[in-house]
Amino acid sequence: MSGVFSSFPYGAIYYAILDFDSCFLFWLKTTKNTTIQHISQKNILSVKMVYNDIPFDGIKLRENDKRRVAYFYDADVGNYAYGAGHAMKPHRIRMTHSLIMNYGLYKKMEIYRAKPATKQEMCQFHTDEYIDFLSRVTLDNVHQFAKETVKFNINDDCPVFDGLYEYCAISGGGSMEGAARLNRGKCDVAINYAGGLHHAKKSEASGFCYLNDIVLGIIELLRFHPRVLYIDIDVHHGDGVEEAFYTTDRVMTCSFHKYGEFFPGTGELRDVGVGKGKNYSVNVPLRDGIDDASYKNVFEPVIGKIMEWYQPSAVVLQCGGDSLSGDRLGCFNLSMQGHANCVNYVKSFGIPLMIVGGGGYTMRNVARTWCYETGILNNVLLDENLPYNDYFEYYGPDYKLDVRQSNMFNANSPKYLDNILINIFENLEHTKYAPSVQLNIVPNDKENLGDVEEDTAEALDTKGGSQYARDNIVETYNEY
């Protein structure tokens, strides 16, 4: 850099260094005998680090901060199995639901069984031939699709199993219906733990994911919302969602993930988008063993800056449980509270929020964490002693609602995390002004036939009204 200043006459030259936290300008003076080489990055960072190493102090809820929560669950989802020995087990969603019900959270939120996504709805993102393949392939006829299985990346990670298409339809339907309810103002938070399959591509399965329900949900949100923020706290990079919106400024994607010799191999710090989407993809590449304090000290400044500058009108948060300590495939060291702190922080902004599941391969820990986070979304801190439930024996020997950190080494040094924050903030400088969107007529909703089956004359004649009416009864704050 000294060559840049070689044409300057001898004398005093001043350099301004921007302190990102307080916007304070620190002036350095050089003279005839001083060159720019004397001002190293180390000296600059010693003035003030962007990264603040603050200890993690647990989760605190705001009083009277109850949101209208819509929870989507299909009882069939736990019946599907990828195959013996496969790490992905949809059964964990059923375990989560059992905990949620036995903690009594059903009294505080509306519970729905979403209509499975149709082919037409799936093809809003995926190609027709890919969806047609998913609908037709079975264990009995997979040998007839030898060329297609290669083309669509069907392999040991993404195998064909009984009910594959129905499983995808349940996942996609929950996220699309959750987004639709947020659009109509029927709820403030929508939850679909069967969703969050963020690796699926337009015409390809990847990383245990076949249908990208997140992209379908965001497309639905974009019908009403000018800007949508997608946040991913799965240990793996959310490559499928980033790729889908890589060229647009209407969706900002922000992924916190392990990077370096780890699936899917994408998500470098310099991957920021292209064209209109340049600087609207944010990647936070982390190393092994990150703990609660380090994660919080990176997550909150980055999301805080994005909220301030991008000003999204809706947020989608992917809560992959493989970033928890002790996960079969993950390599982070987050406790249940450290993971849930991300949910609590995003919720605090009061923006319409959709929560989806994702990875997580130690079933008992995923179920514990998602149940705890459901409590936080309903502004309840759940008791650590687990209530008796259908899968009580899974949680031995302590039977507690807790996932603890281990003594794993944290390879994320403060200097490394500080460099990440500096680079991200520099990129976000280009997005300070929220992009506007041309006014358009909102497309019509899909045909709504109402609750015809449930509101029959026989149902209405029963005590307490129809099943639909009973489902809408939610225990209000401080009712009991």
Side-chain angles (χ1 to χ4, degrees):
M1 286 180 68
S2 58
V4 177
F5 296 91
S6 59
S7 60
F8 278 74
Y10 288 128
I13 304 174
Y14 293 89
Y15 304 97
I17 298 171
L18 182 63
D19 174 344
F20 290 93
D21 258 5
S22 58
C23 294
F24 174 72
L25 289 174
F26 182 83
W27 296 93
L28 295 177
K29 178 180 179 182
T30 67
T31 60
K32 177 178 179 180
N33 299 317
T34 312
T35 68
I36 191 70
Q37 290 171 334
H38 292 136
I39 308 169
S40 67
Q41 186 183 22
K42 183 178 179 182
N43 292 331
I44 292 173
L45 292 177
S46 66
V47 175
K48 176 71 174 176
M49 289 183 72
V50 177
Y51 175 80
N52 292 317
D53 198 0
I54 303 168
F56 182 72
D57 56 355
I59 292 178
K60 298 176 180 64
L61 299 180
R62 297 180 182 178
E63 287 187 27
N64 302 326
D65 191 26
K66 179 70 173 73
R67 306 289 166 86
R68 295 172 300 156
V69 180
Y71 169 78
F72 291 88
Y73 174 73
D74 192 308
D76 291 339
V77 76
N79 296 331
Y80 301 102
Y82 280 58
H86 199 288
M88 174 63 104
K89 301 188 185 301
H91 178 63
R92 69 211 168 113
I93 302 162
R94 186 152 51 188
M95 289 172 60
T96 304
H97 181 72
S98 181
L99 272 183
I100 287 171
M101 298 302 283
N102 283 282
Y103 265 111
L105 291 173
Y106 64 89
K107 300 174 185 175
K108 301 184 179 296
M109 55 189 183
E110 297 180 355
I111 299 179
Y112 298 98
R113 181 175 187 171
K115 178 179 170 287
T118 63
K119 277 189 181 181
Q120 184 181 6
E121 289 167 343
M122 294 179 187
C123 290
Q124 289 180 85
F125 171 59
H126 295 284
T127 60
D128 293 3
E129 58 176 350
Y130 175 57
I131 297 302
D132 183 59
F133 165 75
L134 290 180
S135 68
R136 290 194 294 135
V137 70
T138 65
L139 283 172
D140 296 328
N141 66 12
V142 66
H143 62 277
Q144 300 173 15
F145 294 93
K147 193 169 77 171
E148 287 85 352
T149 54
V150 175
K151 181 179 180 180
F152 299 129
N153 198 33
I154 301 300
N155 50 36
D156 291 342
D157 276 356
C158 301
V160 173
F161 58 86
D162 283 333
L164 169 59
Y165 179 74
E166 289 75 16
Y167 170 71
C168 294
I170 289 171
S171 170
S175 294
M176 292 189 71
E177 184 59 36
R181 290 194 74 80
L182 287 171
N183 284 344
R184 296 195 297 268
K186 298 284 187 180
C187 63
D188 304 311
V189 179
I191 302 172
N192 176 33
Y193 289 129
L197 305 177
H198 58 168
H199 294 306
K201 309 295 195 302
K202 188 178 183 71
S203 59
E204 185 181 300
S206 176
F208 314 159
C209 307
Y210 305 85
L211 183 86
N212 202 316
D213 64 284
I214 302 170
V215 172
L216 295 175
I218 291 175
I219 289 171
E220 179 68 25
L221 288 170
L222 289 174
R223 294 172 65 245
F224 281 73
H225 296 277
R227 291 175 301 281
V228 176
L229 170 62
Y230 169 69
I231 305 169
D232 192 315
I233 59 173
D234 195 289
V235 75
H236 301 98
H237 177 231
D239 56 334
V241 184
E242 180 184 272
E243 185 180 296
F245 301 110
Y246 206 58
T247 60
T248 180
D249 58 4
R250 288 195 63 193
V251 179
M252 179 175 276
T253 61
C254 181
S255 178
F256 299 80
H257 53 271
K258 154 77 174 169
Y259 180 74
E261 296 183 2
F262 198 71
F263 182 87
T266 53
E268 192 187 8
L269 190 62
R270 291 174 292 182
D271 294 341
V272 295
V274 294
K276 281 186 70 177
K278 188 172 183 181
N279 298 310
Y280 290 93
S281 291
V282 179
N283 284 299
V284 186
L286 302 168
R287 295 172 178 165
D288 290 1
I290 191 163
D291 56 23
D292 294 349
S294 299
Y295 204 91
K296 178 181 179 180
N297 294 333
V298 169
F299 183 86
E300 293 190 359
V302 169
I303 298 304
K305 278 283 191 288
I306 290 174
M307 290 291 187
E308 178 186 348
W309 291 345
Y310 187 62
Q311 297 177 17
S313 54
V315 178
V316 178
L317 176 58
Q318 197 265 19
C319 297
D322 47 11
S323 48
L324 290 164
S325 179
D327 189 80
R328 281 180 64 187
L329 301 185
C331 55
F332 284 177
N333 193 23
L334 294 184
S335 72
M336 181 182 74
Q337 297 236 341
H339 194 274
N341 178 70
C342 301
V343 176
N344 191 43
Y345 183 71
V346 174
K347 174 201 169 195
S348 69
F349 289 95
I351 298 170
L353 174 62
M354 183 160 77
I355 300 287
V356 290
Y361 308 103
T362 303
M363 289 195 296
R364 60 186 181 276
N365 290 347
V366 176
R368 284 173 165 129
T369 303
W370 286 352
C371 176
Y372 184 73
E373 288 168 353
T374 306
I376 285 174
L377 293 167
N378 285 283
N379 215 45
V380 177
L381 283 177
L382 300 176
D383 184 64
E384 68 167 5
N385 294 310
L386 289 173
Y388 188 77
N389 60 85
D390 296 338
Y391 308 100
F392 192 65
E393 64 277 6
Y394 280 68
Y395 304 103
D398 57 350
Y399 305 100
K400 301 286 186 185
L401 186 69
D402 192 21
V403 179
R404 299 183 184 88
Q405 293 185 117
S406 69
N407 59 354
M408 186 179 185
F409 173 71
N410 184 1
N412 300 270
S413 66
K415 183 179 179 182
Y416 174 72
L417 296 175
D418 188 63
N419 286 333
I420 287 176
L421 289 180
I422 288 172
N423 276 279
I424 289 172
F425 290 172
E426 284 177 357
N427 292 335
L428 288 175
E429 281 284 332
H430 303 291
T431 67
K432 268 193 173 179
Y433 303 101
S436 58
V437 177
Q438 181 179 346
L439 289 173
N440 288 300
I441 297 171
V442 177
N444 292 328
D445 287 329
K446 60 184 179 182
E447 185 181 10
N448 182 11
L449 299 175
D451 295 87
V452 177
E453 292 180 11
E454 290 186 324
D455 288 342
T456 59
E458 293 80 7
L460 289 169
D461 195 42
T462 60
K463 185 177 180 181
S466 69
Q467 181 64 46
Y468 176 67
R470 290 198 294 273
D471 285 344
N472 278 330
I473 298 172
V474 176
E475 185 178 300
T476 57
Y477 185 70
N478 281 344
E479 185 173 348
Y480 297 106

